[in-house]
Amino acid sequence: MTISFPFALILIPYAVILMFFAVFATVNVFHLVGHGADTGVSFVVTFLFLAGAGCVLFFTWQGVRDVDWSTPVSFSIPSLSPGSFGKP
Protein backbone atom coordinates (compact mmCIF):
# COMPACT_ATOMS: atom_id res chain seq x y z
CA MET A 1 0.00 0.00 0.00
CA THR A 2 1.44 3.36 -1.03
CA ILE A 3 0.52 6.63 0.64
CA SER A 4 1.14 9.92 -1.11
CA PHE A 5 0.49 13.48 0.04
CA PRO A 6 1.72 16.95 -0.95
CA PHE A 7 4.80 18.16 0.90
CA ALA A 8 2.89 21.29 1.97
CA LEU A 9 0.90 19.25 4.52
CA ILE A 10 3.99 19.37 6.72
CA LEU A 11 3.36 23.10 7.12
CA ILE A 12 0.09 22.52 9.02
CA PRO A 13 1.68 21.16 12.23
CA TYR A 14 4.40 23.81 11.94
CA ALA A 15 1.75 26.55 11.69
CA VAL A 16 -0.06 25.16 14.75
CA ILE A 17 3.20 25.19 16.72
CA LEU A 18 3.87 28.78 15.58
CA MET A 19 0.39 29.86 16.70
CA PHE A 20 0.93 28.39 20.17
CA PHE A 21 4.33 30.03 20.37
CA ALA A 22 2.94 33.39 19.23
CA VAL A 23 0.25 33.30 21.95
CA PHE A 24 2.82 32.29 24.57
CA ALA A 25 5.29 34.97 23.45
CA THR A 26 2.61 37.68 23.44
CA VAL A 27 1.42 36.80 26.95
CA ASN A 28 5.02 36.54 28.12
CA VAL A 29 6.06 39.95 26.76
CA PHE A 30 2.92 41.71 28.01
CA HIS A 31 3.45 40.17 31.43
CA LEU A 32 7.08 41.31 31.52
CA VAL A 33 6.19 44.83 30.40
CA GLY A 34 3.20 45.17 32.71
CA HIS A 35 4.50 43.49 35.83
CA GLY A 36 8.13 44.12 36.47
CA ALA A 37 10.05 45.34 33.47
CA ASP A 38 11.55 48.04 35.69
CA THR A 39 15.09 46.71 35.67
CA GLY A 40 17.64 46.52 32.90
CA VAL A 41 17.84 42.76 33.32
CA SER A 42 14.15 42.39 32.44
CA PHE A 43 14.62 44.43 29.28
CA VAL A 44 17.70 42.42 28.29
CA VAL A 45 15.91 39.09 28.85
CA THR A 46 12.88 40.29 26.89
CA PHE A 47 15.13 41.46 24.05
CA LEU A 48 17.04 38.15 24.00
CA PHE A 49 13.78 36.19 23.94
CA LEU A 50 12.40 38.21 21.01
CA ALA A 51 15.75 38.22 19.18
CA GLY A 52 16.01 34.44 19.56
CA ALA A 53 12.48 33.97 18.22
CA GLY A 54 13.28 36.27 15.31
CA CYS A 55 16.46 34.34 14.52
CA VAL A 56 14.61 31.03 14.55
CA LEU A 57 11.97 32.41 12.13
CA PHE A 58 14.62 33.97 9.89
CA PHE A 59 16.71 30.81 9.61
CA THR A 60 13.58 28.71 9.08
CA TRP A 61 12.60 30.98 6.20
CA GLN A 62 16.11 30.78 4.75
CA GLY A 63 16.01 26.99 4.95
CA VAL A 64 12.62 26.46 3.30
CA ARG A 65 12.38 29.29 0.79
CA ASP A 66 13.57 27.18 -2.17
CA VAL A 67 11.47 24.09 -1.37
CA ASP A 68 8.93 23.00 -3.97
CA TRP A 69 5.90 22.51 -1.72
CA SER A 70 3.86 20.81 -4.46
CA THR A 71 6.21 17.82 -4.62
CA PRO A 72 4.36 14.67 -3.58
CA VAL A 73 5.78 12.62 -0.72
CA SER A 74 5.23 8.89 -1.18
CA PHE A 75 6.03 5.94 1.03
CA SER A 76 4.97 2.33 1.17
CA ILE A 77 3.42 0.52 4.09
CA PRO A 78 3.93 -3.23 4.07
CA SER A 79 0.83 -5.38 4.26
CA LEU A 80 0.18 -6.92 7.67
CA SER A 81 -2.19 -9.66 6.50
CA PRO A 82 -1.28 -13.26 7.41
CA GLY A 83 0.81 -14.96 4.79
CA SER A 84 2.15 -11.73 3.32
CA PHE A 85 5.41 -11.75 5.28
CA GLY A 86 8.44 -12.53 3.20
CA LYS A 87 6.73 -11.70 -0.10
CA PRO A 88 7.95 -8.67 -2.05
Side-chain angles (χ1 to χ4, degrees), residues 9-81:
L9 281 180
I10 295 173
L11 292 176
I12 293 172
Y14 184 69
V16 170
I17 291 169
L18 280 180
M19 287 182 349
F20 279 120
F21 178 79
V23 169
F24 170 75
T26 302
V27 169
N28 189 17
V29 170
F30 280 135
H31 186 267
L32 283 172
V33 171
H35 301 287
D38 297 338
T39 65
V41 175
S42 296
F43 286 115
V44 169
V45 169
T46 303
F47 173 77
L48 290 175
F49 175 75
L50 294 175
C55 286
V56 167
L57 289 174
F58 174 76
F59 288 118
T60 299
W61 177 254
Q62 294 297 315
V64 300
R65 67 180 173 182
D66 295 329
V67 173
D68 180 15
W69 294 103
S70 63
T71 302
V73 176
S74 299
F75 57 92
S76 296
I77 298 176
S79 176
L80 298 178
S81 62

